Every structure is written in C-alpha cells, then in structure tokens.
Amino acid sequence: MSRFGDLQDLVEHVRSAASELESSPPPYAPLADDDYLKLLALDQRPLCHDAPLDPAAPRLAELLAYDRDDGDFLHGAYRQLLGRECDDEGYHYYLDLVRGEGRLAVLVTLARAEEAIHFRHAHQRQLPDRLVRCMRAWQRLSSLGPLRGLGERAWRRYLAWLTRRHRQDWALEAGLCRLLAEQRAWRGDRHGLVSALLEMNRQQGCLSERQEQEHARQQALWTQLATIRRQAVSSSPEAPPPPSGGESLPILDSATLDAYYIAFEAAFRGPEAQIAEHLDHYRGDWTRARQAGQQALDLGCGRGEWLRLLTQAGFEARGIDLNASMVAHCREQGFAVTRQDALAALADCADDSLALISGFHIAEHLPFDTLFALVQQAQRALAPGGVLILETPNPENLIVASYSFYHDPTHRNPLTPVTLQFLLQFHGFGDTAIRRFNAPPEATRLPGDGPVVERLNAMLAAPMDYAVVGTKAPREEAQG
C-alpha cells in the first residue's frame, strides 16, 4: 500500500475515533479510594508530546517528527530508540548531523548503536520497515571495499531524495498520530475525572447523610432533655395536683410547651452549626457595633449560637429567653442568660449602655404594640453608634408568606421589610438597611421565560428571611 493510502487510513481513523469520543458514554471505572488524589494530579500530569501511538512499534513519521523542530526531534529519538533522555554531548553532535545529513541519517546512526540494540531486545521494540531497510543498506556499504566512499555519497543522496519526496507526508502523518495520542490521553484523563467526581459525589452524599443523622440525634437529645425537665417540674412538691374526675383539664404548663418548642426548633430551624454559619453574615454589623462598646444583649437567645459568636468577637454578651430549657442549655455552655421578658430586660438597661441589641425571629411573635415598645426601648438603651438587628421571615417570598410562616403556631403575622425598616426609622435610627438571606432551592423556580414567569419566580424564589439593621445616630447627628 502506498504512503498516501496509509495517510488516508490514518485520517479515517482520526475521524472514527473523534466520532466515538462524542457519541459514546464516558468509561466509568470502578471507584477507588485514591480517586480524589487522581483528580488533584490531573493538572500535574506531564505532557508527553512525542509518545507514539504504539510505543512497541512506532511509525517512521513519528520518529522523524517533521511537525516539530530539530531539538524536539532529537529528544524524541533518544527516548524512543535509546530509552533515555538526550545528554548534552549527544545533543550537540547529532544536531550538527541533522543539519548536515538530515533526520533519516540520524535515525539510522542511532538505531545501529549498541545501546539502541540492547534497548530494543530488552523491551521488545520494533523499528519501522523503511528504517530497517535503510540500516541494512548502510551495513552493506562495508562490503564495497574501495568503492565504499562512493557508495556512502550515493546513499546520502538517496536519503536526501527520499526526505524531499516524503517530508510533507511524514509531517502530516506525525501530526495526525500525535493528535490520536493526545486524544487517548484525554480519554484517560476524562476516565479519571469521572471516577474521581463520582467518588466525591458519593462522599458528599455520605456526609449529608451523617449530617442529617446528627441533626436527628440532636433533636432527640433536646426532646429528651426537655421531657426530663418537664417531669422534674411536675414531680416537684410545688407542682399542682392532677385534676380529679369531672374537672376540666388545665391549660398546658410552660414546661410542656417548652419541650414542644425545643423539638419544633430542632426539627425546623436546623442544627446549631448551620445556624452559626448563617449568623456569620452579620460580621460587618457586629464589627461596627464593637466600636460603640462591649455590652451586647440578645433577645430570645435560644440555643446560644449568636452569643458564642459575640463572645468570640470580644463582646460581654448576655441573653434572655422565656424557654427555661433554652436558658438552662445556654447556662451549661457558660453564657450569661436569664429567663426574662424582652421588654422587661430592655427596661432594666440604662440609657446608652449597650453596643448591640439583637432579636432573631422574635418580631413575628409579638403584638405590634409590644414590637413598637421594644424598638423604642432598644433605641434608648443603645449607645450612640450602637446597632439593632431584627431578623424575621420574609413575606416577599410567596411560599413563606402563604405557607411556611405558619409552621410555627406562635407566629402572629408576617412583617414586610419596609414596615419593619420604617419602624426603626420612626424611632430615630438614622442608618437602616434591609438584608435578605437564605435563597430557596432552585426547584422552586418555574421553568420558562417571559414577564409573567419572571414575576412569579421573583416571588417564589425570593430570599426566605430578612433582617433590618439599624444604627443609633451619634449625639451630634441626633441633636442636629
């Protein structure tokens, strides 16, 4: 078959392999423990641009490498024929030989070396047929005797003629072979990438499952704790006797309601670590408040996630809550927490005494007159430059406003962001801002385009919570 026919076959091979790469599914290998390390090592894999398609039987065009410069040719020839890198002495010697007699003559010289013969035998390598024929022709020159010099000159002219005739074809063939070799490497990389990503996805699923298990375990512990405390209260000497037959049942005692609300919060609010991560969004606000002082008060402190962050930020933080179990839990962690009403706690504070007042998800529990008084008292108790944070569910989200808000039966009514912001402004907070948090899952969005779908998605996919953050104006601004 002619050289042109070989090239046509090679072109068809490239097209067939490219088509297979696009249409076939990626090769999913069995997952291994080190797939993640393989993924990290993909970008560190050294590129071997001169690796032949078949290292055991390279093509002549791949060895000649006419699609690359003389230096790259020599480095590749050393690796393929001698099995090692090119040394400096050999590089300069053969570089001069390339420029004087051509690459084919260099290949013949290298392939006839004892080192090359030993390498071929040790690694079962084959040489291209045309290169073997050239080597035999060179070997027969030794039998010409006095005519050997004439024979060598004729042989070199033959190599030059052969190179002129086929150089373009060899360059094209080398390029196509290199493309196929790179494609093979890319398929291997994709193989490793898919395996590593699948393993990472599996590990992420395991972590999510463990997180859910820990959440459920925490919820169960909270419920057990509240039940134990409720039983302790009911068995105390001061506890009222159970109703006798015929008497109406009394309203549930506070310990029972505390137990229910602890279990409810654990089920719907999320684990403490997740809440603490969300609260870190307020880092800029507590940093600003820290300039106004060290005293901080958290209204409805719950499990104490916010108190922990404030303490780490350098505040002398204390909290209040009406849930006795929550108070006990915070005290066990070393926080200064009392069981007290929010308005009563603020009334006990001196004017301009606090740097930060916070209330996370308490505003929606309060009648408006109580909320009005709470903001008023907070403005009085804050020092100039102090910060008030009130976070609450966001009714701009249609699902929150019409459904999830009412999961908690103690919620009264949603408060729109502009309403709560205006309440702070009315009481003299000069710098107020609305912060929106907690985007809903992408699945809540409606598919499709158009103004109607966009408007609905704006309501369905609005953040599920928001906060109004107000800063008490410095004295000079308030007087002005």
Side-chain angles (χ1 to χ4, degrees):
M1 182 179 292
S2 66
R3 176 61 57 184
F4 183 78
D6 290 343
L7 287 175
Q8 287 294 99
D9 292 342
L10 195 58
V11 170
E12 292 301 322
H13 188 181
V14 172
R15 290 174 177 170
S16 174
S19 176
E20 179 185 353
L21 185 63
E22 294 176 357
S23 60
S24 62
Y28 296 110
L31 297 177
D33 293 337
D34 60 344
D35 277 333
Y36 180 68
L37 296 178
K38 292 178 182 178
L39 176 64
L40 295 180
L42 284 178
D43 62 341
Q44 302 175 5
R45 180 180 62 85
L47 295 177
C48 189
H49 295 290
D50 51 34
L53 285 175
D54 184 0
R59 293 168 175 258
L60 180 61
E62 293 177 293
L63 294 176
L64 289 170
Y66 273 114
D67 58 328
R68 309 182 68 192
D69 62 30
D70 291 340
D72 290 336
F73 155 72
L74 284 176
H75 287 294
Y78 260 74
R79 280 190 286 265
Q80 300 305 321
L81 298 180
L82 302 181
R84 64 175 175 87
E85 294 298 323
C86 184
D87 57 274
D88 290 340
E89 181 180 357
Y91 177 81
H92 292 295
Y93 172 79
Y94 285 109
L95 187 62
D96 291 338
L97 189 61
V98 166
R99 293 168 180 171
E101 300 188 10
R103 297 186 181 185
L104 194 53
V106 170
L107 288 181
V108 171
T109 304
L110 283 173
R112 293 180 65 250
E114 289 295 331
E115 183 181 358
I117 295 172
H118 177 75
F119 175 74
R120 288 199 299 276
H121 288 165
H123 295 86
Q124 297 182 348
R125 299 292 180 93
Q126 296 180 4
L127 294 178
D129 290 340
R130 176 161 285 177
L131 180 58
V132 172
R133 291 197 298 270
C134 289
M135 293 169 58
R136 289 172 179 171
W138 175 261
Q139 188 174 5
R140 285 196 295 269
L141 293 177
S142 60
S143 62
L144 294 180
L147 300 178
R148 179 173 179 175
L150 182 62
E152 289 181 357
R153 289 194 294 273
W155 184 79
R156 290 191 179 93
R157 285 197 299 270
Y158 168 74
L159 293 184
W161 171 84
L162 197 63
T163 299
R164 287 194 302 271
R165 180 177 178 182
H166 295 289
R167 177 168 179 165
Q168 185 175 358
D169 290 346
W170 286 336
L172 177 59
E173 184 179 358
L176 292 175
C177 290
R178 210 173 312 282
L179 178 61
L180 280 175
E182 287 295 330
Q183 183 193 57
R184 183 180 297 169
W186 295 335
R187 288 178 64 89
D189 286 351
R190 187 178 70 166
H191 182 104
L193 178 62
V194 169
S195 297
L197 289 177
L198 285 174
E199 172 64 13
M200 292 172 64
N201 185 63
R202 185 189 68 81
Q203 293 180 2
Q204 184 179 17
C206 293
L207 290 175
S208 299
E209 183 178 350
R210 286 198 294 269
Q211 185 180 26
E212 292 176 359
Q213 293 173 352
E214 286 299 319
H215 184 195
R217 177 176 173 272
Q218 185 185 57
Q219 176 184 344
L221 291 174
W222 270 101
T223 303
Q224 292 172 10
L225 177 62
T227 302
I228 292 171
R229 286 180 175 145
R230 176 172 58 82
Q231 292 172 348
V233 171
S234 63
S235 62
S236 65
E238 295 79 9
S244 60
E247 296 181 10
S248 61
L249 292 174
I251 298 175
L252 289 175
D253 60 276
S254 61
T256 302
L257 290 175
D258 286 353
Y260 169 81
Y261 202 75
I262 286 175
F264 175 86
E265 184 164 284
F268 287 94
R269 196 177 182 205
E272 293 186 44
Q274 180 180 343
I275 300 303
E277 181 180 356
H278 161 68
L279 293 175
D280 193 64
H281 287 109
Y282 295 100
R283 181 177 296 272
D285 300 309
W286 81 58
T287 300
R288 187 172 69 256
R290 186 66 180 78
Q291 299 174 3
Q294 292 180 287
Q295 300 298 320
L297 175 62
D298 187 24
L299 308 174
C301 60
R303 297 174 294 189
E305 302 99 339
W306 180 243
L307 292 176
R308 180 178 291 104
L309 287 176
L310 293 181
T311 302
Q312 293 172 352
F315 285 93
E316 295 179 10
R318 60 189 180 91
I320 62 100
D321 205 293
L322 290 176
N323 190 308
S325 296
M326 296 286 195
V327 172
H329 176 68
C330 289
R331 287 176 176 175
E332 289 169 359
Q333 298 179 79
F335 300 129
V337 176
T338 57
R339 188 180 184 189
Q340 192 176 17
D341 174 79
L343 278 180
L346 287 172
D348 291 343
C349 297
D351 293 354
D352 301 336
S353 60
L354 298 174
L356 177 63
I357 299 174
S358 52
F360 293 94
H361 291 266
I362 64 168
E364 65 271 18
H365 294 264
L366 303 176
F368 182 70
D369 56 349
T370 304
L371 179 61
F372 187 93
L374 184 148
V375 176
Q376 184 181 45
Q377 287 294 319
Q379 203 277 341
R380 177 194 61 80
L382 279 172
V387 174
L388 171 63
I389 301 173
L390 292 176
E391 182 179 293
T392 187
N394 183 14
E396 294 172 329
N397 183 297
L398 188 59
I399 297 177
V400 171
S402 63
Y403 173 66
S404 63
F405 180 86
Y406 300 99
H407 287 336
D408 188 342
T410 63
H411 283 180
R412 298 181 66 88
N413 53 268
L415 297 162
T416 63
V418 292
T419 297
L420 195 54
Q421 183 183 40
F422 179 77
L423 182 59
L424 269 67
Q425 292 171 343
F426 179 83
H427 285 294
F429 286 90
D431 181 13
T432 61
I434 298 173
R435 310 279 175 76
R436 294 171 173 85
F437 304 106
N438 300 333
E442 188 66 22
T444 59
R445 298 181 64 88
L446 295 175
D449 299 316
V452 176
V453 174
E454 291 180 3
R455 181 60 177 167
L456 285 174
N457 281 331
M459 294 185 288
L460 291 172
M464 296 185 290
D465 297 299
Y466 78 92
V468 172
V469 181
T471 304
K472 183 174 179 178
R475 288 190 179 89
E476 57 271 17
E477 293 185 15
Q479 294 173 357

